[in-house]
Amino acid sequence: MRIEAIRQALRDTGAKDCHVERVLRAWSQGKALDAGPRHQPADSYLPLALRKALPDLAAELSGLARLRSEHPGEDGSSRLLVELADGQMAESVLLPRDGLCVSTQIGCAVGCTFCMTGRDGLLRQVSSGEMVAQVVLGRSRRPVKRVVFMGMGEPSHNIDNVLDAIDLLGTAGAIGHKNLVFSTVGDLRVFSRLPQQRVVPALAISLHSTRAELRAQLLPKAAPIAPAELVDLAEHYARTTGYPIQYQWTLLDGINDSFEEMDGIVDLLAGKYAIMNLIPYNATAALDYRRPPLERVTALARYLHGRGIRTTVRNSAGQDIDGGCGQLRARQHEAESGGDTGSAPLKRHRSRRQGANSVV
Ligand code: SAH
Ligand code: SF4
């Protein structure tokens, strides 16, 4: 359900725009739909026909994203397996410090060779209403002041829905614009559309290599924009919006963790308004990559730092429960289809799943 359809359903009751917006504000902030000014009964600020429609609407909205299970990590994050109205599964992650990571697609057409979400291609788009519903679900568990569109899916491939969700979250949803983060492998539509919006989000760019050839191998269906051009476009975005670009680099042992690659980063990013986030690969049994040893990760971060690149090492949240992008969903899918490959790593997953904190 798109946000516009929710708006229309409210308007169809004869409600005025101010009443429609009041209900959307209550919903996106995780309150009861008829929540209004303190100490005032709903009949003083919402028309009767609208109030009568709210219970059905509330039931429909809560069906947009239901909690299937919760998997807390040791780092303060908690992964949520979320069931959408048609039974599809998405993942959201509650992050330390009031953040939430939401999914924008079920599956993904970019097909990055190290990512579980990309393994089966795109299954379906996630609607703008379902994205806001993930935030509402997150807010039912913890305060949410930062929303990153870094879960399953490539936001630029579902850009209208993502921008509608960002618009509502940055207005009625009361989330600071710089705390809304659009994460992408890069697409020309991102650079033309985002600056035009009423709510302009911060931008994260998944770079992974500065060598066009290797990048094309790792991200087979990403838009064919050369890394240097991507950085130019992003730099322009950073300078016009005032938010630094958050580059993301999933570190894969023996693939993109060489000092030559780090020199490529220095060449492209020196003097840029940017932060480089090194994300050690979150290993999955199904894919054949490895995470570099910790000493190497630290050495790479130091190397970049020493050459003037603002660098952080970010563990993808919930690593201790093997809950990287798309991994929870993949495991759930496997369990439901009875898929038992009999492999030792999958058995390991299964016992861990039992250890996870299932709340429903
Ligand atoms: N499609 C968008 C947003 C979702 S992916 C994008 O690619 O930016 C968000 C991030 O998760 C990407 O930077 C991706 O490289 C990273 N990622 C995916 N699988 C991972 C894994 N197994 N370990 C570490 N990072 C991973
Ligand atoms: Fe899609 Fe991002 Fe995964 Fe690549 S890393 S397959 S773009 S979700």
Side-chain angles (χ1 to χ4, degrees):
M1 197 178 197
R2 296 180 76 132
I3 293 166
E4 201 38 48
I6 301 171
R7 257 202 191 96
Q8 194 54 50
L10 291 165
R11 280 196 206 110
D12 288 347
T13 67
K16 291 190 206 149
D17 282 351
C18 61
H19 298 132
V20 170
E21 294 313 312
R22 184 180 287 284
V23 173
L24 286 175
R25 188 157 67 231
W27 176 53
S28 59
Q29 294 189 12
K31 300 176 182 160
L33 295 189
D34 64 357
R38 266 193 227 163
H39 311 306
Q40 283 185 37
D43 58 3
S44 69
Y45 54 80
L46 289 180
L48 180 63
L50 177 57
R51 272 184 282 134
K52 279 193 170 154
L54 289 185
D56 282 352
L57 183 65
E60 192 166 1
L61 294 181
S62 66
L64 289 180
R66 284 186 198 284
L67 186 61
R68 185 71 182 261
S69 57
E70 176 163 5
H71 308 254
E74 280 163 12
D75 56 357
S77 70
S78 192
R79 291 197 166 253
L80 309 179
L81 185 65
V82 176
E83 182 168 5
L84 307 180
D86 63 352
Q88 281 288 1
M89 294 294 173
E91 293 180 25
S92 308
V93 189
L94 290 160
L95 302 167
R97 293 177 297 284
D98 299 339
L100 179 75
C101 173
V102 300
S103 292
T104 59
Q105 298 186 306
I106 306 298
C108 178
V110 181
C112 299
T113 52
F114 51 83
C115 172
M116 287 298 279
T117 303
R119 235 181 20 162
D120 301 326
L122 176 66
L123 300 180
R124 84 156 165 86
Q125 302 288 18
V126 170
S127 71
S128 51
E130 289 168 328
M131 290 176 215
V132 175
Q134 289 174 64
V135 176
V136 174
L137 180 62
R139 283 183 152 165
S140 72
R141 313 195 65 72
R142 286 189 197 174
V144 173
K145 296 186 180 135
R146 188 167 52 95
V147 176
V148 301
F149 293 80
M150 271 180 205
M152 295 161 51
E154 167 51 40
S156 71
H157 290 183
N158 189 14
I159 196 162
D160 290 331
N161 277 298
V162 173
L163 291 179
D164 285 351
I166 284 175
D167 184 78
L168 191 71
L169 293 170
T171 53
I175 294 183
H177 300 187
K178 70 169 192 307
N179 292 331
L180 293 159
V181 183
F182 189 109
S183 174
T184 177
V185 295
D187 188 299
L188 294 180
R189 285 168 290 192
V190 168
F191 300 103
S192 58
R193 298 279 306 277
L194 268 56
Q196 309 295 326
Q197 303 302 306
R198 163 167 77 158
V199 177
V200 179
L203 195 58
I205 301 271
S206 292
L207 198 57
H208 311 310
S209 178
T210 61
R211 288 149 52 201
E213 224 171 85
L214 176 61
R215 193 168 188 268
Q217 278 170 26
L218 293 173
L219 291 62
K221 304 272 171 52
I225 307 173
E229 190 191 344
L230 192 51
V231 170
D232 278 349
L233 289 163
E235 177 68 4
H236 182 69
Y237 189 88
R239 298 285 170 193
T240 49
T241 59
Y243 316 137
I245 300 297
Q246 301 170 41
Y247 285 96
Q248 306 189 100
W249 190 284
T250 295
L251 280 171
L252 305 165
D253 190 28
I255 309 253
N256 64 352
D257 63 343
S258 65
F259 286 92
E260 290 73 41
E261 277 282 9
M262 299 304 113
D263 287 336
I265 295 176
V266 175
D267 285 347
L268 283 190
L269 297 191
K272 299 288 196 294
Y273 190 30
I275 298 164
M276 172 52 78
N277 294 304
L278 299 176
I279 311 169
Y281 174 64
N282 191 14
T284 87
L287 302 175
D288 233 2
Y289 292 103
R290 283 186 318 270
R291 180 193 309 193
L294 182 63
E295 312 80 71
R296 182 162 192 89
V297 174
T298 315
L300 296 174
R302 269 209 204 107
Y303 187 82
L304 290 177
H305 240 291
R307 282 154 188 78
I309 307 296
R310 280 173 73 190
T311 307
T312 65
V313 175
R314 205 183 64 202
N315 280 321
S316 97
Q319 253 176 14
D320 50 314
I321 52 139
D322 281 5
C325 182
Q327 293 175 41
L328 272 183
R329 179 186 176 279
R331 259 183 283 152
Q332 174 73 21
H333 193 67
E334 222 157 54
E336 280 178 357
S337 61
D340 187 349
T341 64
S343 77
L346 282 170
K347 281 185 182 137
R348 177 171 65 89
H349 281 154
R350 226 163 265 134
S351 60
R352 284 192 185 187
R353 194 174 53 244
Q354 282 159 4
N357 184 15
S358 193
V359 295
V360 279

